[in-house]
Amino acid sequence: MSDVKVKIKGWCKNYPGDRPPRFLRAFLLLFLAQGEAHGYELIEKLKEMGVKYETYEFGYVYKTLRNMEKEGLLSSRWNVKEKGAAKRIYRITDAGKKNLSDWARVLANIKDSIESFLKAYEEIENK
């Protein structure tokens, strides 16, 4: 897998909403659009970008991958050629690529909204 050039900031401890938004599916699709990978590789890519999952939360990532496969966004196969335990290798499907494009549009809209919010907030703060 090639390196992703995106870096996100971790959420602050005092996030003011019920819970911070999660874009796990978008990131998984992004990584898999770059090439197939197994679950732990995807978790490592998330960590490199600043999205940290504790060991006990790894199951959430794997559950998300399985759900995405059921929805037809991913396909998988077992890799039994390497030493050690067999690993499930995930690959993005055409439906997954379309969903990734949908995510890109949604995130661009969110980015515009956040920029608009911050501009309005700066105007209030500078009064």
Side-chain angles (χ1 to χ4, degrees):
M1 274 173 52
S2 63
D3 290 329
V4 175
K5 302 295 185 222
V6 177
K7 208 54 156 160
I8 66 169
K9 294 182 179 180
W11 300 105
C12 67
K13 291 181 182 178
N14 297 320
Y15 184 78
D18 294 336
R19 62 182 161 155
R22 293 194 175 213
F23 305 109
L24 177 59
R25 286 175 169 241
F27 287 114
L28 293 173
L29 289 168
L30 178 68
F31 299 146
L32 291 169
Q34 297 172 330
E36 60 182 26
H38 60 78
Y40 191 74
E41 286 176 316
L42 296 168
I43 290 168
E44 288 299 310
K45 287 288 184 188
L46 288 166
K47 287 180 182 178
E48 289 172 16
M49 291 184 67
V51 181
K52 302 227 186 311
Y53 283 93
E54 300 297 328
T55 305
Y56 65 88
E57 295 175 307
F58 286 0
Y60 178 71
V61 175
Y62 288 105
K63 181 179 178 182
T64 301
L65 288 166
R66 286 191 302 276
N67 287 338
M68 291 171 71
E69 186 172 14
K70 287 178 190 173
E71 295 168 20
L73 304 176
L74 309 176
S75 63
S76 70
R77 64 179 169 76
W78 285 101
N79 181 353
V80 293
K81 295 179 182 178
E82 294 180 19
K83 291 182 179 181
K87 296 177 183 172
R88 186 180 293 269
I89 306 294
Y90 293 93
R91 164 183 293 149
I92 193 169
T93 63
D94 288 340
K97 290 175 185 174
K98 182 192 176 311
N99 193 253
L100 176 59
S101 293
D102 293 343
W103 269 109
R105 280 190 298 279
V106 166
L107 292 172
N109 289 340
I110 291 170
K111 176 183 172 263
D112 291 345
S113 296
I114 290 171
E115 287 174 350
S116 177
F117 171 88
L118 292 174
K119 182 179 177 187
Y121 177 76
E122 287 175 11
E123 289 173 7
I124 293 168
E125 283 297 301
N126 291 330
K127 283 186 177 181

